[in-house]
Amino acid sequence: LEKEVDRFMEHVEATAKAGPSTLTILIPIRIYLWYHGFSNEFWEHVLMPAMAVLFVTNQGSGKVPAFAALSYFFSDGFMHVRDPQKNGQRVRVATHGSHLLWEAVVRELPGGVHLSSPVAALRRLGGTNPRARWML
């Protein structure tokens, strides 16, 4: 994977210099990676975990246009596959994975999480304050 990380960063740097192309704007990152010979292991163990936090679902991250995904890793972007410190502290790294972050969010929900359930009501707690919490 080390060599694929290096090769991916070469693609990132080349894309940063060249700008968007028809190919990188139109195709999803998963197809871009396949087209350029990256392994499924690289996707599953390097890029998908980093991008899944941004797109909440693993499937959603693979459908992002290639240019957008590559641009997250530009030198002025907010992600780096090697060194989280290079993001200039603009992104917090969840130690032991993002699942701990979501477990903490779920713990704060008064009624827990109920998948595939209809929403009976939605109201804002705190009146008209735009930063107020919502209640389902």
Side-chain angles (χ1 to χ4, degrees):
L1 287 179
E2 191 77 18
K3 289 182 180 181
E4 282 191 290
V5 168
D6 291 340
R7 193 160 59 90
F8 177 75
M9 291 310 296
E10 289 171 7
H11 279 255
V12 167
E13 291 167 15
T15 303
K17 288 179 186 171
S21 68
T22 302
L23 179 70
T24 61
I25 290 174
L26 293 178
I27 67 168
I29 188 64
R30 283 298 309 249
I31 294 173
Y32 178 91
L33 294 172
W34 168 80
Y35 181 80
H36 289 287
F38 288 92
S39 68
N40 283 334
E41 185 181 25
F42 174 75
W43 168 253
E44 291 172 6
H45 297 288
V46 178
L47 280 190
M48 185 187 55
M51 292 179 59
V53 174
L54 298 174
F55 298 99
V56 182
T57 67
N58 295 341
Q59 289 182 349
S61 58
K63 295 176 183 176
V64 172
F67 182 78
L70 292 167
S71 72
Y72 303 144
F73 299 93
F74 287 178
S75 63
D76 62 345
F78 57 88
M79 296 178 74
H80 199 276
V81 290
R82 287 200 185 284
D83 184 1
Q85 300 305 314
K86 288 189 178 181
N87 69 35
Q89 301 302 316
R90 289 174 284 188
V91 173
R92 302 248 184 246
V93 176
T95 305
H96 306 296
S98 63
H99 68 279
L100 293 179
L101 169 75
W102 292 111
E103 286 173 3
V105 169
V106 169
R107 274 194 306 271
E108 289 186 23
L109 296 173
V113 173
H114 305 280
L115 302 176
S116 301
S117 299
V119 175
L122 179 66
R123 67 184 171 98
R124 188 184 308 222
L125 303 176
T128 60
N129 178 354
R131 296 188 180 272
R133 292 182 175 220
W134 289 86
M135 174 66 85
L136 294 175

